[in-house]
Amino acid sequence: MATVEAIKLHKRYHDFVALDDVTLRAESGQLVTLLGPSGCGKSTTLRCLAGFLDPEGGDITLDGESILKLPSNRRGFGVVFQNYALFPHMTVAENIGYGLRLQKCPKPDMARRVGEAVDLVRLNGLEDRLPRQISGGQQQRVALARALVMKPRLLLLDEPLANLDARLRDEVRWLIRDLQQQSGITAFYVTHDQSEAMAMSDMVAVMKAGRVAQFATPREIYQKPVERYVADFTGEANFLACQSVAEQGSGQYRIEAGGTVLTVAGVQGLNGRAELLVRPETLRLAAPDEAADFNGRIVKCAFVGASQLCEIALPDGGTLKLTAAPNTPVHVGDAAAVVMDRAQAWLMPEVAP
Amino acid sequence: MTAKTRLRLLLSVPAIVLIFVFMILPITNMIEMSFRTPGTSEPFGPDYTGMHYTRILGDGYYWGVLARSLLTAGLVTVLCLIVSFPIAWHLSRARGLKAVLLYACIVSPLMTGVLVRNFGWMIVTALNGPLNETLMALGIIERPLRLLFTQGLVVLALVHVFVPFMVLPINNALRNIPESLTEASASMGASRMQVFRDIILPLSFPGIQPGMILVYVLAVAAYVTPALLGGQMVSVMPTLIVGELTGTFQWPFGSALAITLSVSTVIVVVTFTMLTSKLMERAKA
Ligand SMILES: Nc1ncnc2c1ncn2[C@@H]1O[C@H](COP(=O)(O)OP(=O)(O)O)[C@@H](O)[C@H]1O
Ligand SMILES: [Mg+2]
């Protein structure tokens, strides 16, 4: 299909810098997610890719060739908007077939392709309805079909699930991923939901105030974040402050954290202060005669059905959140011994240099 | 009667009184007058007759004037639409101070009184007026153009003053079209012309339709502009009607002409509304 690259994109709105040196790459057939809080520049990036905005600096290439000069109507990209942007005066079938009509696609051919697209997103029977006569979930699928029917070289999706309720979101999420993989279309996907990003993507770009904080696979983003911001944004996390760390061999550190001395892996080249990332699921309460990694005191505890959420205060002032089995006896104020999967602990800077 | 319905009734009293006093009463009065016999020493006679209507419908002259009135108004409406759309487009994209200034410019034709405005046109377009003198000084024309007392000037002057009535509703409709729709259509391969044809134009129809109706009705009923700028040569229904009512004092015949014009206008407007109802239905988001 197509390899798409954004190289050092810069974009300003008046004097506000919306994009600063954004570099991304989607290999052919990959789904790349832009993940970040509202206002960090995800939509701006996508709109530059689509050709709705001109970046002030940088380049966008498709299979190695710059497409910056190409207007959006000649890029051949499919775009799915957050508010769907269905044409309110056209029926479902007319919306889906609009692009084909512009290409002067012959009538029978067009009817067949629209029919296929309708099947694909399971909208049969709704072809003659107007957008306002169908539900939000159905509108969202029309938007998807409308983008896919053109067999675009690149699919751009801007928070396509944001306006759906939780159950539909799950369903449409898998639909999007399936369709994207079946057709092998390269795609950029914008979301502020980390679980969505994790589950769907080949690559994730975590964005922070107009910059790409980290661009890597979901696994790497989650387990080996380059800074605290990324770890925070990709899931539940405990951070333990470490005062003076020194590298011992590449990416290995001997540190003291939470009152314990241990050896962990981390970002290369750290020096001085750092943060130890410990995901809650890598922690558990120690069995009675087991050697503990941390010893502390339970300060919070909540039963949530499938498990219990506990917060443990450590002697050096740090806290650890962890989940315990639902029937383990835990009480606020009790001493707690915690075991950590050391292989999964990760040392990183507070803020990447 | 609950307090709520009583309040509703109370609140609608002014509207009902207003409509009754200023619409139902005069129209009933007009209709009644149009069936009166002509008077000899008074403006109308004591008996009733349908002769005025048979006279109007049987005389090609009145058909001609009626047709001219309706067609002129139609021409004014279409020209107004063509002139107003780009203005409405710019207005709909403008924000802040620029929008305020644009609004002021657009409604400026309405800020001068109807007589002053039309005398202005007379002065500007007179044979030895500034327009002709400038054109001659620039060597564009050799002899002064006869602009005043032509149908063309009437149309021009009406378009000028009715533009705000077209711009404002269209501006409103255009502001309601989300930018993402034009972007979506562009991403599907539409050129700027195609975006305009397929998205902007149909979705602005909820502004175009009321704008056209408003301008048409105003143009049909315009009196001062055709009377002052059209001269004696080109009569339209309103000038004819005023002539009957205040010139020859034939109130019954004048009323019949007025009713004929009103009914014709209503027929045109209703037909237009029905023909365009599909477009309207689709575009209502
Ligand atoms: N047209 C605009 N004019 C001025 N500022 C804008 C405009 N569009 C977006 N911004 C600003 O740029 C930043 C990034 O916006 P956006 O890319 O939409 O963020 P995201 O999609 O990640 O929520 C935001 O702070 C936003 O306020
Ligand atoms: Mg956004």
Side-chain angles (χ1 to χ4, degrees):
Chain A
M1 279 259 134
T3 300
V4 179
E5 242 178 320
I7 304 156
K8 293 179 178 299
L9 288 186
H10 282 263
K11 176 71 200 170
R12 272 197 318 245
Y13 296 111
H14 306 289
D15 16 331
F16 177 78
V17 179
L19 296 184
D20 183 11
D21 223 12
V22 169
T23 297
L24 299 166
R25 181 184 170 85
E27 299 292 341
S28 180
Q30 274 190 339
L31 189 148
V32 173
T33 295
L34 306 181
L35 175 66
S38 171
C40 69
K42 307 181 297 290
S43 297
T44 304
T45 309
L46 212 66
R47 291 163 55 78
C48 286
L49 288 168
F52 304 145
L53 282 180
D54 284 326
E56 275 103 34
D59 200 359
I60 298 171
T61 64
L62 188 116
D63 291 331
E65 267 179 61
S66 174
I67 55 163
L68 219 48
K69 294 263 156 26
L70 219 53
S72 54
N73 62 331
R74 308 223 335 258
R75 290 197 183 179
F77 295 171
V79 185
V80 177
F81 294 81
Q82 181 170 352
N83 62 3
Y84 314 143
L86 299 182
F87 306 129
H89 58 303
M90 298 187 194
T91 64
V92 167
E94 286 167 347
N95 262 284
I96 297 174
Y98 178 69
L100 298 173
R101 199 180 94 202
L102 290 173
Q103 290 180 345
K104 306 237 164 16
C105 176
K107 275 264 159 61
D109 199 26
M110 183 165 133
R112 184 181 53 76
R113 283 174 68 180
V114 170
E116 281 170 11
V118 167
D119 286 343
L120 211 57
V121 296
R122 299 192 296 276
L123 282 167
N124 309 71
L126 301 178
E127 292 90 337
D128 296 325
R129 301 262 190 99
L130 290 174
R132 69 181 124 99
Q133 296 165 329
I134 59 179
S135 74
Q138 291 164 340
Q139 289 179 11
Q140 155 47 249
R141 300 213 295 271
V142 176
L144 203 56
R146 187 175 71 171
L148 287 171
V149 77
M150 307 286 296
K151 305 206 185 322
R153 298 193 283 181
L154 177 69
L155 186 61
L156 301 169
L157 305 114
D158 193 352
E159 309 211 21
L161 310 182
N163 296 331
L164 300 180
D165 61 50
R167 203 179 50 79
L168 268 176
R169 202 175 300 165
D170 228 37
E171 187 186 318
V172 180
R173 176 203 294 180
W174 294 121
L175 179 70
I176 291 176
R177 183 56 164 161
D178 285 351
L179 294 179
Q180 185 263 334
Q181 291 197 316
Q182 271 168 34
S183 49
I185 294 179
T186 313
F188 280 94
Y189 184 101
V190 163
T191 181
H192 60 255
D193 181 322
Q194 54 88 14
S195 63
E196 219 170 284
M198 293 287 159
M200 298 187 59
S201 331
D202 297 302
M203 294 290 280
V204 176
V206 179
M207 294 193 65
K208 174 185 178 183
R211 299 177 132 263
V212 177
Q214 188 169 9
F215 183 47
T217 61
R219 187 177 299 276
E220 206 169 329
I221 291 275
Y222 189 79
Q223 296 179 341
K224 298 180 173 172
V226 294
E227 60 177 339
R228 182 171 172 154
Y229 173 88
V230 175
D232 235 346
F233 207 79
T234 46
E236 283 290 322
N238 298 301
F239 300 99
L240 298 178
C242 306
Q243 285 317 322
S244 51
V245 304
E247 204 162 3
Q248 304 189 318
S250 101
Q252 293 294 316
Y253 299 87
R254 184 140 189 94
I255 55 160
E256 190 187 339
T260 310
V261 175
L262 64 171
T263 305
V264 293
V267 174
Q268 294 201 353
L270 286 178
N271 214 332
R273 288 162 51 87
E275 301 263 326
L276 184 67
L277 164 67
V278 184
R279 297 283 186 191
E281 67 276 12
T282 66
L283 294 173
R284 64 187 166 79
L285 293 174
D289 50 358
E290 200 175 0
D293 288 304
F294 301 105
N295 285 293
R297 196 158 291 284
I298 299 177
V299 290
K300 268 185 207 159
C301 179
F303 175 74
V304 293
S307 60
Q308 301 180 85
L309 303 181
C310 302
E311 201 171 304
I312 291 160
L314 298 177
D316 69 348
T319 60
L320 288 176
K321 283 171 285 186
L322 61 85
T323 58
N327 293 329
T328 312
V330 284
H331 301 103
V332 171
D334 283 0
V338 178
V339 182
M340 174 177 74
D341 179 354
R342 291 187 181 200
Q344 290 201 51
W346 180 253
L347 196 68
M348 64 192 174
E350 164 97 48
V351 178
Chain B
M1 199 160 45
T2 67
K4 203 171 165 190
T5 44
R6 215 168 329 154
L7 182 68
R8 264 189 214 167
L9 225 69
L10 196 71
L11 285 175
S12 54
V13 163
I16 293 172
V17 169
L18 219 66
I19 288 175
F20 187 76
V21 173
F22 291 104
M23 195 167 140
I24 311 283
L25 273 187
I27 288 180
T28 327
N29 194 264
M30 269 301 245
I31 294 173
E32 194 228 333
M33 180 62 71
S34 73
F35 285 103
R36 292 265 188 184
T37 49
T40 41
S41 54
E42 290 130 11
F44 55 90
D47 300 315
Y48 289 95
T49 170
M51 63 176 281
H52 306 303
Y53 288 103
T54 37
R55 179 177 159 204
I56 293 169
L57 298 179
D59 189 337
Y61 172 72
Y62 295 112
W63 280 103
V65 177
L66 180 63
R68 183 185 297 129
S69 277
L70 298 180
L71 288 176
T72 306
L75 183 64
V76 168
T77 309
V78 170
L79 290 178
C80 230
L81 176 62
I82 294 170
V83 174
S84 300
F85 206 101
I87 302 175
W89 174 263
H90 280 288
L91 183 59
S92 73
R93 304 285 120 168
R95 296 284 178 272
L97 185 66
K98 192 180 161 206
V100 174
L101 290 176
L102 262 174
Y103 270 114
C105 289
I106 287 160
V107 298
S108 65
L110 300 176
M111 288 178 189
T112 39
V114 58
L115 283 174
V116 173
R117 193 176 57 242
N118 284 296
F119 275 124
W121 279 110
M122 290 179 85
I123 293 167
V124 169
T125 58
L127 279 183
N128 54 357
L131 183 64
N132 272 320
E133 285 190 346
T134 311
L135 289 177
M136 289 209 292
L138 292 174
I140 296 171
I141 52 171
E142 285 181 4
R143 282 182 302 123
L145 293 174
R146 207 180 71 88
L147 297 167
L148 194 52
F149 307 134
T150 62
Q151 184 120 3
L153 182 60
V154 174
V155 169
L156 178 65
L158 288 179
V159 168
H160 167 244
V161 69
F162 292 150
V163 157
F165 296 98
M166 192 70 93
V167 168
L168 297 181
I170 295 179
N171 160 60
N172 213 30
L174 288 174
R175 275 178 193 265
N176 285 331
I177 303 177
E179 201 169 0
S180 60
L181 293 190
T182 54
E183 289 175 350
S185 93
S187 74
M188 293 165 83
S191 65
R192 293 167 74 100
M193 272 314 292
Q194 286 167 327
V195 172
F196 178 78
R197 183 196 67 195
D198 299 336
I199 312 298
I200 305 292
L201 197 57
L203 289 181
S204 59
F205 200 74
I208 293 179
Q209 194 198 51
M212 287 184 76
I213 291 176
L214 210 59
V215 169
Y216 188 79
V217 170
L218 289 169
V220 163
Y223 165 69
V224 177
T225 300
L228 290 184
L229 304 183
Q232 303 300 311
M233 306 301 292
V234 277
S235 26
V236 285
M237 288 297 270
T239 52
L240 216 59
I241 292 164
V242 173
E244 292 294 337
L245 295 180
T246 65
T248 52
F249 278 98
Q250 292 295 326
W251 287 8
F253 186 62
S255 300
L257 282 175
I259 297 294
T260 309
L261 180 61
S262 298
V263 170
S264 312
T265 310
V266 168
I267 290 172
V268 170
V269 169
V270 168
T271 311
F272 174 74
T273 311
M274 282 188 340
L275 286 179
T276 55
S277 67
K278 253 226 167 65
L279 283 171
M280 199 66 176
E281 188 54 42
R282 277 281 182 115
K284 261 189 297 191

